[in-house]
Coordinates of all heavy atoms in Angstrom, one line a residue:
E1 N 204.4 64.3 83.1 CA 205.7 63.8 82.6 C 205.7 63.6 81.1 O 206.6 63.9 80.4 CB 206.0 62.5 83.3 CG 207.4 62.0 83.1 CD 207.7 60.8 83.9 OE1 207.4 60.8 85.1 OE2 208.2 59.9 83.4
N2 N 204.5 63.1 80.6 CA 204.4 62.9 79.1 C 204.5 64.2 78.3 O 205.2 64.3 77.3 CB 203.1 62.1 78.8 CG 203.1 61.6 77.4 OD1 204.1 61.2 76.8 ND2 201.9 61.7 76.8
M3 N 203.9 65.2 78.9 CA 203.9 66.5 78.2 C 205.3 67.1 78.2 O 205.8 67.6 77.2 CB 202.9 67.5 78.9 CG 202.8 68.8 78.2 SD 202.1 68.7 76.5 CE 200.4 68.2 76.9
N4 N 206.1 66.9 79.3 CA 207.5 67.3 79.3 C 208.3 66.6 78.3 O 209.1 67.2 77.6 CB 208.1 67.0 80.7 CG 207.8 68.1 81.7 OD1 208.1 69.2 81.4 ND2 207.4 67.7 82.9
Y5 N 208.0 65.3 78.2 CA 208.8 64.5 77.2 C 208.5 65.0 75.7 O 209.4 65.1 74.9 CB 208.4 63.0 77.3 CG 209.0 62.2 76.2 CD1 210.4 61.8 76.3 CD2 208.3 61.8 75.1 CE1 210.9 61.0 75.4 CE2 208.9 61.0 74.1 CZ 210.2 60.6 74.2 OH 210.8 59.9 73.3
I6 N 207.2 65.3 75.5 CA 206.9 65.7 74.1 C 207.6 67.0 73.8 O 208.2 67.2 72.7 CB 205.3 65.9 74.0 CG1 204.6 64.6 74.1 CG2 204.9 66.7 72.8 CD1 203.1 64.6 74.3
I7 N 207.6 68.0 74.7 CA 208.2 69.3 74.4 C 209.7 69.1 74.3 O 210.4 69.6 73.4 CB 207.9 70.3 75.5 CG1 206.4 70.6 75.4 CG2 208.7 71.6 75.4 CD1 205.9 71.5 76.6
D8 N 210.3 68.3 75.2 CA 211.8 68.0 75.1 C 212.1 67.4 73.8 O 213.2 67.7 73.2 CB 212.2 67.1 76.3 CG 212.2 67.9 77.6 OD1 212.2 69.1 77.6 OD2 212.2 67.2 78.7
Q9 N 211.3 66.5 73.3 CA 211.6 65.8 72.0 C 211.5 66.8 70.9 O 212.4 66.8 70.0 CB 210.5 64.7 71.8 CG 210.8 63.9 70.5 CD 212.1 63.1 70.5 OE1 212.6 62.8 71.6 NE2 212.6 62.8 69.4
L10 N 210.6 67.7 70.9 CA 210.5 68.8 69.9 C 211.7 69.7 69.9 O 212.3 70.0 68.9 CB 209.2 69.6 70.1 CG 207.9 68.9 69.8 CD1 206.7 69.8 70.3 CD2 207.8 68.4 68.4
L11 N 212.2 70.0 71.1 CA 213.4 70.8 71.2 C 214.6 70.1 70.7 O 215.5 70.7 70.1 CB 213.6 71.3 72.7 CG 212.5 72.2 73.2 CD1 212.7 72.4 74.7 CD2 212.5 73.5 72.5
R12 N 214.7 68.8 71.0 CA 215.8 68.0 70.5 C 215.8 67.9 69.0 O 216.9 67.7 68.4 CB 215.8 66.5 71.1 CG 216.4 66.4 72.5 CD 216.6 65.0 72.9 NE 215.4 64.3 73.1 CZ 214.6 64.3 74.2 NH1 215.0 65.0 75.2 NH2 213.5 63.5 74.3
M13 N 214.6 68.0 68.4 CA 214.5 68.0 66.9 C 214.8 69.4 66.4 O 214.6 69.6 65.2 CB 213.1 67.6 66.6 CG 212.8 66.1 66.9 SD 211.1 65.7 66.8 CE 210.7 66.1 65.1
K14 N 215.3 70.3 67.2 CA 215.7 71.6 66.8 C 214.5 72.5 66.4 O 214.7 73.5 65.6 CB 216.7 71.6 65.6 CG 217.9 70.7 65.9 CD 218.8 71.4 66.9 CE 220.1 70.6 67.0 NZ 220.6 70.5 68.3
I15 N 213.4 72.2 66.9 CA 212.2 73.1 66.7 C 212.3 74.2 67.8 O 212.3 73.9 69.0 CB 210.9 72.3 66.8 CG1 210.8 71.3 65.7 CG2 209.7 73.3 66.8 CD1 209.7 70.3 65.8
P16 N 212.4 75.4 67.4 CA 212.5 76.5 68.5 C 211.3 76.6 69.3 O 210.2 76.4 68.9 CB 212.8 77.8 67.6 CG 212.4 77.4 66.3 CD 212.4 75.9 66.1
K17 N 211.5 77.1 70.6 CA 210.4 77.3 71.5 C 209.3 78.2 70.9 O 208.1 78.1 71.1 CB 210.9 77.9 72.8 CG 211.6 76.9 73.7 CD 211.9 77.5 75.0 CE 212.6 76.5 75.9 NZ 212.9 77.0 77.2
S18 N 209.8 79.2 70.1 CA 208.8 80.1 69.5 C 207.9 79.5 68.5 O 206.9 80.1 68.2 CB 209.6 81.3 68.8 OG 210.4 80.7 67.7
R19 N 208.2 78.2 68.1 CA 207.3 77.5 67.1 C 206.4 76.5 67.8 O 205.7 75.8 67.2 CB 208.2 76.9 66.1 CG 209.1 77.8 65.3 CD 208.4 78.7 64.4 NE 207.8 77.9 63.3 CZ 207.1 78.3 62.4 NH1 206.8 79.6 62.3 NH2 206.6 77.6 61.4
I20 N 206.6 76.3 69.1 CA 205.9 75.2 69.8 C 204.7 75.9 70.5 O 204.8 76.9 71.2 CB 206.8 74.5 70.9 CG1 207.9 73.8 70.2 CG2 205.9 73.5 71.7 CD1 209.0 73.3 71.2
I21 N 203.5 75.4 70.3 CA 202.3 75.9 70.9 C 201.6 74.7 71.5 O 201.2 73.7 70.8 CB 201.4 76.6 69.9 CG1 202.1 77.7 69.2 CG2 200.1 77.0 70.5 CD1 201.4 78.4 68.1
I22 N 201.3 74.8 72.8 CA 200.5 73.8 73.5 C 199.0 74.2 73.5 O 198.8 75.4 73.8 CB 201.0 73.6 74.9 CG1 202.4 73.2 75.0 CG2 200.1 72.5 75.7 CD1 202.8 71.9 74.3
I23 N 198.1 73.4 73.1 CA 196.7 73.7 73.1 C 196.0 72.8 74.1 O 196.1 71.5 73.9 CB 196.1 73.6 71.7 CG1 196.8 74.5 70.7 CG2 194.6 73.9 71.7 CD1 196.4 74.3 69.3
T24 N 195.4 73.3 75.1 CA 194.7 72.5 76.1 C 193.5 71.9 75.5 O 192.9 72.5 74.6 CB 194.4 73.3 77.3 OG1 193.4 74.3 77.0 CG2 195.6 73.9 78.0
P25 N 193.0 70.8 75.9 CA 191.7 70.2 75.4 C 190.6 71.1 75.9 O 190.6 71.7 77.0 CB 191.7 68.9 76.1 CG 192.5 69.0 77.3 CD 193.6 69.9 77.0
G26 N 189.6 71.3 75.0 CA 188.4 72.0 75.4 C 187.5 71.3 76.3 O 187.7 70.1 76.5
R27 N 186.5 71.9 76.8 CA 185.5 71.3 77.6 C 184.7 70.4 76.7 O 184.6 70.6 75.5 CB 184.6 72.3 78.3 CG 185.4 73.1 79.3 CD 184.5 74.0 80.0 NE 183.5 73.3 80.8 CZ 182.5 73.8 81.4 NH1 182.2 75.1 81.3 NH2 181.6 73.1 82.1
I28 N 184.0 69.4 77.3 CA 183.1 68.6 76.5 C 181.7 68.6 77.1 O 181.6 68.9 78.3 CB 183.6 67.1 76.5 CG1 183.7 66.5 77.9 CG2 184.9 67.0 75.7 CD1 183.9 65.0 77.8
D29 N 180.8 68.4 76.3 CA 179.4 68.3 76.8 C 179.2 66.8 77.1 O 179.0 65.9 76.2 CB 178.4 68.7 75.7 CG 177.0 68.6 76.0 OD1 176.7 67.9 77.0 OD2 176.2 69.3 75.4
G30 N 179.3 66.4 78.4 CA 179.3 65.0 78.8 C 178.1 64.3 78.3 O 178.2 63.1 77.9
D31 N 176.9 64.9 78.3 CA 175.7 64.2 77.9 C 175.7 63.9 76.4 O 175.4 62.8 76.0 CB 174.4 65.0 78.2 CG 174.2 65.1 79.7 OD1 174.7 64.2 80.5 OD2 173.6 66.1 80.1
R32 N 176.1 64.9 75.6 CA 176.1 64.7 74.1 C 177.2 63.7 73.8 O 177.1 62.9 72.9 CB 176.3 66.0 73.4 CG 175.1 66.8 73.5 CD 175.1 68.1 72.7 NE 175.3 67.7 71.2 CZ 175.6 68.6 70.3 NH1 175.8 69.9 70.7 NH2 175.7 68.3 69.1
W33 N 178.4 63.8 74.5 CA 179.5 62.8 74.2 C 179.0 61.4 74.5 O 179.3 60.5 73.7 CB 180.7 63.3 75.0 CG 181.9 62.4 74.8 CD1 182.5 61.6 75.8 CD2 182.6 62.2 73.6 NE1 183.6 61.0 75.2 CE2 183.7 61.3 73.9 CE3 182.6 62.7 72.3 CZ2 184.6 60.9 73.0 CZ3 183.5 62.3 71.4 CH2 184.5 61.4 71.7
S34 N 178.4 61.2 75.6 CA 177.9 59.9 76.0 C 176.9 59.4 75.0 O 177.0 58.2 74.6 CB 177.2 60.0 77.4 OG 176.8 58.7 77.8
D35 N 176.0 60.2 74.6 CA 175.0 59.8 73.6 C 175.7 59.4 72.3 O 175.3 58.4 71.6 CB 174.0 60.9 73.3 CG 173.0 61.1 74.5 OD1 173.0 60.2 75.4 OD2 172.4 62.2 74.5
Y36 N 176.7 60.2 71.8 CA 177.4 59.9 70.6 C 178.1 58.5 70.7 O 178.0 57.7 69.8 CB 178.4 61.0 70.3 CG 179.3 60.8 69.1 CD1 178.8 61.1 67.8 CD2 180.5 60.2 69.2 CE1 179.5 60.8 66.7 CE2 181.3 59.9 68.1 CZ 180.8 60.3 66.8 OH 181.5 60.0 65.7
L37 N 178.8 58.3 71.8 CA 179.5 57.0 71.9 C 178.6 55.9 72.0 O 178.9 54.8 71.4 CB 180.4 57.1 73.2 CG 181.6 58.0 73.2 CD1 182.3 57.9 74.5 CD2 182.6 57.6 72.1
K38 N 177.5 56.0 72.7 CA 176.5 54.9 72.7 C 175.9 54.6 71.4 O 175.7 53.5 71.0 CB 175.4 55.2 73.7 CG 175.9 55.2 75.2 CD 174.8 55.6 76.1 CE 175.3 55.6 77.5 NZ 174.3 56.1 78.5
T39 N 175.6 55.7 70.6 CA 175.0 55.5 69.3 C 176.0 55.0 68.2 O 175.7 54.0 67.5 CB 174.5 56.9 68.8 OG1 173.6 57.4 69.7 CG2 173.8 56.8 67.4
H40 N 177.2 55.5 68.2 CA 178.2 55.1 67.2 C 179.1 54.0 67.5 O 179.6 53.3 66.6 CB 179.0 56.4 66.8 CG 178.2 57.4 66.1 ND1 177.4 58.3 66.7 CD2 178.0 57.6 64.7 CE1 176.8 59.1 65.9 NE2 177.1 58.7 64.7
Y41 N 179.4 53.8 68.8 CA 180.4 52.8 69.2 C 179.9 51.9 70.2 O 180.6 51.0 70.7 CB 181.7 53.5 69.7 CG 182.3 54.4 68.6 CD1 182.1 55.8 68.6 CD2 183.0 53.8 67.6 CE1 182.7 56.6 67.7 CE2 183.6 54.6 66.6 CZ 183.5 56.0 66.7 OH 184.0 56.7 65.7
K42 N 178.7 52.0 70.7 CA 178.1 51.1 71.7 C 179.0 51.1 73.0 O 179.2 50.1 73.6 CB 177.9 49.7 71.2 CG 177.2 49.6 69.8 CD 175.8 50.1 69.9 CE 175.0 49.9 68.6 NZ 174.8 51.0 67.8
V43 N 179.5 52.3 73.3 CA 180.4 52.4 74.5 C 179.8 53.4 75.4 O 179.3 54.4 75.0 CB 181.8 52.9 74.0 CG1 182.7 53.1 75.2 CG2 182.4 51.9 73.1
D44 N 180.0 53.2 76.7 CA 179.6 54.1 77.8 C 180.8 55.1 78.0 O 181.9 54.7 77.9 CB 179.3 53.4 79.1 CG 178.6 54.3 80.1 OD1 178.4 55.5 79.8 OD2 178.2 53.8 81.1
S45 N 180.4 56.4 78.2 CA 181.5 57.4 78.3 C 181.8 57.8 79.7 O 182.3 58.9 80.0 CB 181.0 58.6 77.5 OG 180.0 59.3 78.2
K46 N 181.6 56.9 80.7 CA 181.9 57.3 82.1 C 183.3 57.8 82.3 O 183.6 58.6 83.1 CB 181.7 56.1 83.0 CG 180.2 55.8 83.1 CD 180.0 54.6 84.0 CE 178.5 54.3 84.1 NZ 178.2 53.0 84.7
D47 N 184.3 57.4 81.4 CA 185.7 57.8 81.5 C 186.0 59.0 80.7 O 187.1 59.4 80.6 CB 186.6 56.7 81.1 CG 186.5 55.5 82.1 OD1 186.2 55.7 83.2 OD2 186.8 54.4 81.6
H48 N 185.0 59.6 80.1 CA 185.3 60.7 79.2 C 184.5 62.0 79.6 O 184.1 62.8 78.8 CB 184.9 60.4 77.8 CG 185.7 59.2 77.2 ND1 185.4 57.9 77.4 CD2 186.9 59.2 76.6 CE1 186.3 57.2 76.8 NE2 187.2 57.9 76.4
Q49 N 184.3 62.2 80.9 CA 183.5 63.3 81.3 C 184.5 64.6 81.4 O 185.7 64.4 81.5 CB 182.9 63.1 82.7 CG 181.9 61.9 82.6 CD 180.7 62.2 81.7 OE1 180.2 63.3 81.6 NE2 180.4 61.2 80.9
D50 N 183.9 65.7 81.5 CA 184.6 67.0 81.6 C 185.6 67.0 82.8 O 186.6 67.7 82.7 CB 183.6 68.2 81.7 CG 184.3 69.5 81.3 OD1 185.1 69.5 80.4 OD2 184.0 70.5 82.0
E51 N 185.3 66.3 83.8 CA 186.1 66.3 85.0 C 187.5 65.7 84.7 O 188.5 66.0 85.4 CB 185.5 65.5 86.2 CG 184.2 66.1 86.7 CD 183.0 65.6 85.9 OE1 182.9 64.5 85.5 OE2 182.1 66.5 85.6
L52 N 187.6 64.9 83.7 CA 188.8 64.3 83.3 C 189.6 65.2 82.3 O 190.8 65.1 82.3 CB 188.6 62.9 82.7 CG 188.0 61.9 83.6 CD1 187.8 60.6 82.9 CD2 189.0 61.6 84.8
V53 N 188.9 66.0 81.6 CA 189.6 66.9 80.7 C 190.3 68.1 81.4 O 191.4 68.5 81.1 CB 188.6 67.5 79.7 CG1 189.2 68.5 78.8 CG2 188.0 66.3 78.8
K54 N 189.6 68.5 82.5 CA 190.2 69.7 83.2 C 191.6 69.4 83.8 O 192.4 70.3 83.6 CB 189.2 70.1 84.3 CG 189.5 71.4 85.0 CD 188.5 71.8 86.0 CE 188.9 73.1 86.7 NZ 187.9 73.5 87.7
P55 N 191.8 68.3 84.5 CA 193.2 68.1 85.0 C 194.2 68.0 83.9 O 195.3 68.5 84.1 CB 193.1 66.8 85.7 CG 191.6 66.6 86.1 CD 190.9 67.3 84.9
Y56 N 193.9 67.4 82.8 CA 194.8 67.4 81.6 C 195.2 68.8 81.1 O 196.3 69.1 80.8 CB 194.3 66.5 80.5 CG 195.3 66.3 79.4 CD1 196.3 65.5 79.5 CD2 195.1 67.1 78.2 CE1 197.2 65.3 78.5 CE2 196.0 66.9 77.2 CZ 197.1 66.0 77.3 OH 198.0 65.9 76.3
A57 N 194.1 69.6 81.1 CA 194.3 71.0 80.7 C 195.2 71.8 81.7 O 196.1 72.5 81.3 CB 193.0 71.7 80.5
E58 N 195.0 71.5 83.0 CA 195.9 72.2 84.0 C 197.3 71.7 83.8 O 198.2 72.6 83.9 CB 195.3 71.8 85.4 CG 194.0 72.5 85.7 CD 193.3 71.9 86.9 OE1 193.8 71.0 87.5 OE2 192.3 72.5 87.3
V59 N 197.6 70.5 83.6 CA 198.9 70.0 83.4 C 199.5 70.6 82.1 O 200.7 71.0 82.2 CB 199.0 68.4 83.3 CG1 200.3 68.0 82.8 CG2 198.6 67.8 84.7
S60 N 198.8 70.7 81.1 CA 199.3 71.3 79.8 C 199.7 72.7 80.1 O 200.8 73.2 79.6 CB 198.2 71.3 78.8 OG 197.8 69.9 78.5
R61 N 198.9 73.5 80.8 CA 199.2 74.9 81.1 C 200.5 75.0 82.0 O 201.4 75.8 81.7 CB 198.1 75.6 81.9 CG 196.9 76.0 81.1 CD 195.9 76.9 81.9 NE 195.4 76.2 83.0 CZ 194.3 75.5 83.0 NH1 193.6 75.3 81.9 NH2 193.8 74.9 84.1
R62 N 200.6 74.1 83.0 CA 201.7 74.2 83.9 C 203.0 73.8 83.1 O 204.0 74.5 83.2 CB 201.5 73.2 85.0 CG 202.7 73.2 86.0 CD 202.5 72.2 87.1 NE 202.2 70.8 86.7 CZ 203.1 69.9 86.2 NH1 204.3 70.3 86.1 NH2 202.7 68.7 85.9
V63 N 203.0 72.8 82.3 CA 204.2 72.4 81.6 C 204.6 73.4 80.5 O 205.8 73.7 80.4 CB 204.0 71.0 80.9 CG1 205.2 70.6 80.0 CG2 203.9 69.9 82.0
A64 N 203.6 74.0 79.9 CA 203.9 75.0 78.9 C 204.6 76.2 79.6 O 205.6 76.8 79.1 CB 202.6 75.5 78.2
N65 N 204.1 76.5 80.8 CA 204.7 77.6 81.5 C 206.1 77.3 82.0 O 207.1 78.1 81.8 CB 203.8 78.0 82.7 CG 204.3 79.2 83.5 OD1 204.6 80.2 82.8 ND2 204.4 79.1 84.8
E66 N 206.3 76.1 82.5 CA 207.6 75.6 82.9 C 208.6 75.6 81.8 O 209.8 75.9 81.9 CB 207.6 74.2 83.5 CG 206.9 74.2 84.9 CD 206.7 72.7 85.3 OE1 207.1 71.8 84.6 OE2 206.1 72.6 86.4
K67 N 208.2 75.2 80.6 CA 209.1 75.1 79.4 C 209.2 76.4 78.6 O 209.9 76.4 77.6 CB 208.6 73.9 78.5 CG 208.6 72.6 79.1 CD 210.0 72.1 79.3 CE 210.1 70.7 79.8 NZ 211.4 70.2 79.9
N68 N 208.4 77.4 79.1 CA 208.4 78.7 78.4 C 208.0 78.6 77.0 O 208.6 79.2 76.1 CB 209.8 79.3 78.6 CG 209.7 80.8 78.3 OD1 208.7 81.5 78.5 ND2 210.8 81.4 77.9
V69 N 206.9 77.8 76.7 CA 206.3 77.8 75.4 C 204.9 78.3 75.4 O 204.3 78.3 76.5 CB 206.4 76.3 74.8 CG1 207.8 75.8 74.6 CG2 205.6 75.4 75.6
E70 N 204.4 78.7 74.3 CA 203.1 79.3 74.2 C 202.0 78.3 74.5 O 202.2 77.1 74.1 CB 202.9 79.9 72.8 CG 201.6 80.7 72.7 CD 201.4 81.5 71.4 OE1 202.4 81.5 70.7 OE2 200.3 81.9 71.2
C71 N 201.0 78.7 75.1 CA 199.8 77.8 75.4 C 198.5 78.5 75.1 O 198.3 79.6 75.5 CB 199.8 77.5 76.9 SG 198.5 76.4 77.4
I72 N 197.8 77.9 74.2 CA 196.4 78.4 73.9 C 195.5 77.5 74.8 O 195.4 76.3 74.7 CB 196.1 78.2 72.4 CG1 197.0 79.0 71.6 CG2 194.6 78.5 72.2 CD1 196.8 78.8 70.1
D73 N 194.9 78.2 75.8 CA 194.1 77.5 76.8 C 192.7 77.5 76.4 O 191.8 78.2 76.9 CB 194.3 78.2 78.1 CG 193.9 77.4 79.3 OD1 193.2 76.4 79.1 OD2 194.2 77.8 80.4
L74 N 192.4 76.6 75.5 CA 191.0 76.4 75.0 C 190.0 76.0 76.1 O 188.9 76.5 76.2 CB 191.0 75.3 73.9 CG 189.7 75.1 73.2 CD1 189.2 76.3 72.5 CD2 189.9 74.0 72.2
N75 N 190.5 75.2 77.1 CA 189.7 74.8 78.2 C 189.2 76.0 79.0 O 188.1 76.2 79.3 CB 190.5 73.8 79.1 CG 189.6 73.2 80.1 OD1 189.4 73.7 81.2 ND2 189.0 72.1 79.8
K76 N 190.2 76.9 79.3 CA 189.8 78.1 80.1 C 188.9 79.1 79.3 O 188.0 79.6 79.9 CB 191.1 78.8 80.6 CG 190.9 79.9 81.6 CD 192.2 80.4 82.2 CE 191.9 81.3 83.4 NZ 193.1 81.6 84.1
I77 N 189.2 79.2 78.1 CA 188.4 80.1 77.2 C 186.9 79.6 77.3 O 186.0 80.3 77.4 CB 188.9 80.1 75.8 CG1 190.2 80.8 75.7 CG2 187.9 80.7 74.8 CD1 191.0 80.7 74.4
M78 N 186.8 78.3 77.1 CA 185.4 77.7 77.1 C 184.8 77.8 78.5 O 183.6 77.9 78.6 CB 185.5 76.2 76.6 CG 185.8 76.2 75.2 SD 185.9 74.5 74.6 CE 184.2 74.0 74.5
Q79 N 185.6 77.7 79.6 CA 185.0 77.8 80.9 C 184.5 79.2 81.1 O 183.5 79.4 81.9 CB 186.1 77.5 82.0 CG 186.4 76.1 82.1 CD 187.4 75.8 83.2 OE1 188.0 76.7 83.8 NE2 187.7 74.6 83.4
N80 N 185.1 80.2 80.5 CA 184.6 81.6 80.7 C 183.4 82.0 79.8 O 182.9 83.0 79.9 CB 185.8 82.5 80.4 CG 186.9 82.4 81.4 OD1 186.6 82.1 82.5 ND2 188.1 82.8 81.0
M81 N 183.0 81.1 78.9 CA 181.9 81.3 78.1 C 180.6 81.1 78.9 O 180.5 80.2 79.7 CB 181.9 80.4 76.8 CG 183.0 80.6 75.9 SD 183.0 79.3 74.7 CE 183.1 80.3 73.2
T82 N 179.6 81.9 78.6 CA 178.3 81.7 79.3 C 177.7 80.4 78.9 O 177.1 79.8 79.7 CB 177.4 82.9 79.0 OG1 177.3 83.1 77.6 CG2 177.9 84.2 79.6
D83 N 177.7 80.0 77.6 CA 177.2 78.8 77.2 C 178.0 78.2 76.1 O 177.8 78.3 74.9 CB 175.7 78.9 76.7 CG 175.0 77.6 76.5 OD1 175.6 76.5 76.8 OD2 174.0 77.6 75.9
F84 N 179.1 77.4 76.6 CA 180.0 76.9 75.6 C 179.3 75.8 74.7 O 179.8 75.5 73.6 CB 181.2 76.3 76.3 CG 181.0 75.0 77.0 CD1 181.2 73.8 76.4 CD2 180.5 75.0 78.4 CE1 180.9 72.6 77.1 CE2 180.3 73.8 79.0 CZ 180.5 72.6 78.4
K85 N 178.2 75.2 75.2 CA 177.6 74.1 74.4 C 177.0 74.6 73.1 O 176.7 73.8 72.2 CB 176.5 73.5 75.3 CG 177.1 72.7 76.5 CD 176.1 72.1 77.4 CE 176.7 71.4 78.5 NZ 175.7 70.7 79.4
E86 N 176.7 75.9 73.0 CA 176.2 76.4 71.8 C 177.1 76.2 70.6 O 176.7 76.3 69.4 CB 175.8 77.9 71.9 CG 176.9 78.8 72.0 CD 176.5 80.3 72.2 OE1 175.7 80.5 73.1 OE2 177.0 81.1 71.5
Y87 N 178.4 76.0 70.8 CA 179.3 75.8 69.8 C 179.5 74.3 69.3 O 180.2 74.0 68.4 CB 180.7 76.3 70.2 CG 180.7 77.8 70.4 CD1 180.5 78.4 71.6 CD2 180.9 78.6 69.3 CE1 180.5 79.8 71.7 CE2 180.8 80.0 69.4 CZ 180.6 80.5 70.6 OH 180.6 81.9 70.7
F88 N 178.7 73.4 69.9 CA 178.8 72.0 69.5 C 177.8 71.8 68.4 O 176.8 71.6 68.3 CB 178.5 71.1 70.7 CG 179.6 71.1 71.7 CD1 179.4 71.5 73.1 CD2 180.9 70.8 71.4 CE1 180.4 71.5 74.0 CE2 181.9 70.9 72.3 CZ 181.7 71.2 73.6

């Protein structure tokens, strides 16, 4: 629903569909993310695992398709990589 609202708001602002691009969130390295949060923010990352990123990416793809706007599916691109962690 939030993604729909964002796109509708952009369209109300007279931004043409051809200029709107949805970019899905990429995958995360859960272990490295957890270590980073613990080191820098003293926070546990149980709520920030890759399993939570994937559903958001799926919704982003679906809404982009429904609204007929371009979608760069970073999540899917990274899923198709043999070792996406090498880019971190």
Side-chain angles (χ1 to χ4, degrees):
E1 189 172 315
N2 191 36
M3 185 64 67
N4 274 312
Y5 176 78
I6 292 168
I7 293 172
D8 288 342
Q9 183 65 23
L10 293 171
L11 294 171
R12 279 192 293 276
M13 294 169 56
K14 306 292 187 215
I15 297 172
K17 285 184 179 184
S18 62
R19 304 288 294 175
I20 299 172
I21 301 172
I22 302 301
I23 302 174
T24 66
R27 293 182 66 189
I28 61 171
D29 180 340
D31 294 334
R32 287 186 65 191
W33 180 244
S34 180
D35 290 344
Y36 177 83
L37 290 178
K38 287 177 185 175
T39 302
H40 292 82
Y41 298 101
K42 310 296 186 255
V43 175
D44 192 356
S45 70
K46 290 179 183 171
D47 295 332
H48 297 91
Q49 299 300 317
D50 197 42
E51 298 84 40
L52 296 177
V53 174
K54 188 176 179 182
Y56 184 77
E58 290 169 354
V59 168
S60 298
R61 283 191 298 272
R62 181 180 52 78
V63 171
N65 188 45
E66 289 172 1
K67 297 290 186 177
N68 198 28
V69 297
E70 188 173 350
C71 180
I72 297 174
D73 196 348
L74 186 58
N75 190 270
K76 191 170 190 171
I77 291 167
M78 291 177 76
Q79 284 179 358
N80 292 334
M81 296 174 131
T82 52
D83 188 9
F84 73 93
K85 292 179 182 181
E86 71 186 47
Y87 291 95
F88 291 123

